[in-house]
Amino acid sequence: MADPAGIPELLRRLALDAAEIGADRNMDVGLALTVLGIDVTVTGVSPRTGQSYSDLRRVKWSELESAEELSAPICEAVQAGVETVTERLKSRR
């Protein structure tokens, strides 16, 4: 079991890793702890229309527990969300 004292630092690191991926494409990333896992929300705004688009994905606790690197499933969800939002923004031009 993880050391409870290290959990805030772990969450901070996960949030920073996720935010960095979104920042590369000028998108906001949010993480929310839930009973079922960590919800990942990616939001982008069309510079032309100002309309925002979001993508929500859930990383289940079992996925996190089985990953070699804890941040990998979250970073994968963020990247997939960025791709989905990018496609939505492109299709609305």
Side-chain angles (χ1 to χ4, degrees):
M1 179 171 207
D3 174 20
I7 291 175
E9 176 58 28
L10 173 65
L11 293 175
R12 187 183 75 74
R13 185 177 57 102
L14 290 174
L16 288 174
D17 288 350
E20 186 176 316
I21 294 169
D24 287 344
R25 298 295 288 273
N26 201 28
M27 295 184 190
D28 292 326
V29 177
L31 302 179
L33 296 174
T34 70
V35 173
L36 300 175
I38 297 178
D39 287 352
V40 177
T41 305
V42 177
T43 303
V45 177
S46 169
R48 197 173 67 115
T49 65
Q51 189 169 7
S52 68
Y53 297 91
S54 294
D55 182 76
L56 173 65
R57 296 169 188 269
R58 174 169 291 140
V59 179
K60 296 179 182 176
W61 292 118
S62 59
E63 294 175 64
L64 292 167
E65 291 170 350
S66 65
E68 285 186 34
E69 174 59 39
L70 187 61
S71 65
I74 293 172
C75 290
E76 289 170 12
V78 172
Q79 187 61 45
V82 166
E83 291 171 9
T84 298
V85 171
T86 300
E87 286 303 313
R88 287 183 189 160
L89 290 171
K90 285 181 182 177
S91 70
R92 300 293 179 190
R93 287 184 183 174

